[in-house]
Every structure is written in structure tokens, then in C-alpha cells.
Amino acid sequence: MSWTTPKRAFIGAASAEGGTKLNAFDNALLKLGIGNVNLVKLSSVIPAHIEWIDEVHDVPIGMLLPTVYAHIESDEPGMTISAALGIGISENNEGGLIYEYAGYCTKEEAEEMVRKMVEEGFAMRGWKLAEFKVASASITVKDKPAAAIAAVVMFPY
């Protein structure tokens, strides 16, 4: 297998219900446009000069897609679940970091958590944070299992 440095990336988040927790997760992936691919979980470093795109286009079924994601599923009625990704871009788009968080919390709490993680990651490296992006989703479980996911999908083209 050959891997190349990603050139483009998509950031998004979604929540959904389903007949099971796994179906809820799958339905959230479908909402994001990445339900018919194979996600390859990455750690959290963004290559230099990546181009951010607004949506996922024409991805072949079954494609292996490098992805950083946070997700949570629950079937406990009344519980609010959230997933968030914080993306920090360095000066001149020379690279960046992604931090993920998922938990039993509000969307705002998850977003604040990833913001703090990005700030610490940049401080530890001595990098200057030029831009912060966040993607988050939240849902309160009702009578069906629910899932929330936030993802950065990286494309080699």
C-alpha cells in the first residue's frame, strides 16, 4: 500500500438516530457524506498547505479515507451527547493540529474542550496559532439510540 501526504481536507459534524447505536453512527456518517467508505483512523497532525473543501465529492464506494474523528453513541434516554474536533492552523498554513473530544456534555462544552487542547498543543510545540476551526455535533437521546460524530477527512488529491 502506498500513502501520500494529503492535499485537501473536509471538516464536518453530524448527529443521527438509528435502530441500534451502530446504526445511529452509520446514519451520522451518511449525513456527512462518508458512510460508504472505509475510514482509516489517524492521529492529529495536519500537513502544510492543505486546502479545505466544503463537501465530499464523488468518493468511490469502499475507498480508504484517512480520517481524524471523534464519536459517541448512546441509548440512554434524556442524555445529551456531543462530539467535537478542534483544528489549529499555524502561520502561513505550515501545518496544524487536530484534537478530538466526545462525551456526555453540551456542544459548547465539547467545543471549549477542543479549543483548550489545540492551544496547549501549539504552546508545547512553540507554534503560533493563526486560525482555529471547530466542528461539532450534539444530540439528546429520545426513544432511539443516537450518535454524534465530528470528522476531518483527508484526501490525497
Side-chain angles (χ1 to χ4, degrees), residues 36 54 110:
N36 292 322
D54 293 329

Side-chain angles (χ1 to χ4, degrees), residues 35-38 58-64:
N36 292 322
V37 298
N38 292 297
D58 304 321
V59 179
I61 292 174
M63 182 176 180
L64 299 177

Side-chain angles (χ1 to χ4, degrees), residues 22-153:
L22 185 55
N23 287 114
F25 176 67
D26 187 45
N27 291 338
L29 291 173
L30 288 167
K31 277 187 174 181
L32 277 177
I34 56 173
N36 292 322
V37 298
N38 292 297
L39 304 179
V40 178
K41 185 120 175 153
L42 298 178
S43 58
S44 307
V45 177
I46 301 169
H49 308 292
I50 199 139
E51 174 191 348
W52 293 93
I53 59 174
D54 293 329
E55 60 184 287
V56 176
H57 297 285
D58 304 321
V59 179
I61 292 174
M63 182 176 180
L64 299 177
L65 281 179
T67 309
V68 177
Y69 60 95
H71 68 96
I72 185 168
E73 301 81 30
S74 179
D75 56 6
E76 298 176 51
M79 296 303 297
T80 298
I81 56 174
S82 300
L85 289 181
I87 295 94
I89 308 294
S90 64
E91 285 186 304
N92 302 316
N93 197 12
E94 294 295 329
L97 300 171
I98 306 167
Y99 283 89
E100 58 271 14
Y101 179 80
Y104 289 87
C105 62
T106 66
K107 182 177 174 177
E108 293 77 18
E109 290 169 324
E111 288 176 355
E112 181 61 25
M113 181 66 75
V114 294
R115 176 180 289 282
K116 288 178 182 177
M117 287 191 256
V118 167
E119 289 169 353
E120 181 177 335
F122 268 69
M124 291 301 296
R125 289 168 175 79
W127 293 357
K128 183 171 181 190
L129 180 62
E131 183 180 356
F132 176 77
K133 299 174 184 272
V134 66
S136 61
S138 184
I139 190 168
T140 299
V141 180
K142 295 179 184 140
D143 56 346
K144 292 175 138 181
I149 182 169
V152 170
V153 182

